[in-house]
């Protein structure tokens, strides 16, 4: 499993396909598996480079004692984006993932092409 060591957290991530970047951000009670189980990764990866990751405290990502606001998770996204060398990405967010997408779009607009909630 690929992991990224960021400032405050270790995030589990996966990537498929080639093309413009799409980043999938799951809901509060979920993890990146939801995007694979629903066929979203398979459908999008035929035309895009699709990155999905487990938010802090979810899936096999680390569970730090703090930092569970959507603003902090958007900061995690920004570090993930930079570490993976992604281009401006379309963020697809489900519930909590939508909040992360809104914060990321406002806080680092150079990394976000658009947000789908």
């Amino acid at each position: 499993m690929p992991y990224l060591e960021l400032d405050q957290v270790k995030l589990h991530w996966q990537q498929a396909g080639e093309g413009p970047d799409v980043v999938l951000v799951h809901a509060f009670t979920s993890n990146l598996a939801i995007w694979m189980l629903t066929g979203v990764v398979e459908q999008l990866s035929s035309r895009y480079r699709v990155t999905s990751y487990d938010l802090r405290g979810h899936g096999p990502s680390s569970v730090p004692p703090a930092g569970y606001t959507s603003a902090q998770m958007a900061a995690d996204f920004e570090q993930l984006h930079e570490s993976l060398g992604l281009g401006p990405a379309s963020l697809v967010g489900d519930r909590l993932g939508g909040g992360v997408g809104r914060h990321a779009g406002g806080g680092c607009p150079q990394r976000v092409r658009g947000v789908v909630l």
Side-chain angles (χ1 to χ4, degrees), residues 1-6 9-14 53-58 60-62 73 75-77 79-80:
M1 284 190 241
Y3 289 91
L4 277 176
E5 292 278 346
L6 306 179
V9 68
K10 181 171 85 170
L11 296 181
H12 168 241
W13 63 280
Q14 293 188 0
Y53 68 102
D54 288 321
L55 296 168
R56 58 175 59 213
H58 295 79
S61 289
S62 64
M73 292 181 183
D76 292 344
F77 158 78
Q79 291 181 58
L80 175 100

Side-chain angles (χ1 to χ4, degrees), residues 15-80:
Q15 206 168 63
E18 295 180 15
D21 285 302
V22 172
V23 177
L24 306 174
V25 189
H26 62 77
F28 178 71
T29 58
S30 190
N31 62 34
L32 67 76
I34 192 67
W35 303 113
M36 292 180 289
L37 294 172
T38 56
V40 172
V41 171
E42 183 180 355
Q43 289 294 316
L44 291 175
S45 65
S46 65
R47 295 182 11 195
Y48 302 97
R49 177 169 59 171
V50 180
T51 303
S52 55
Y53 68 102
D54 288 321
L55 296 168
R56 58 175 59 213
H58 295 79
S61 289
S62 64
V63 184
Y68 292 94
T69 66
S70 55
Q72 180 59 55
M73 292 181 183
D76 292 344
F77 158 78
E78 187 171 1
Q79 291 181 58
L80 175 100

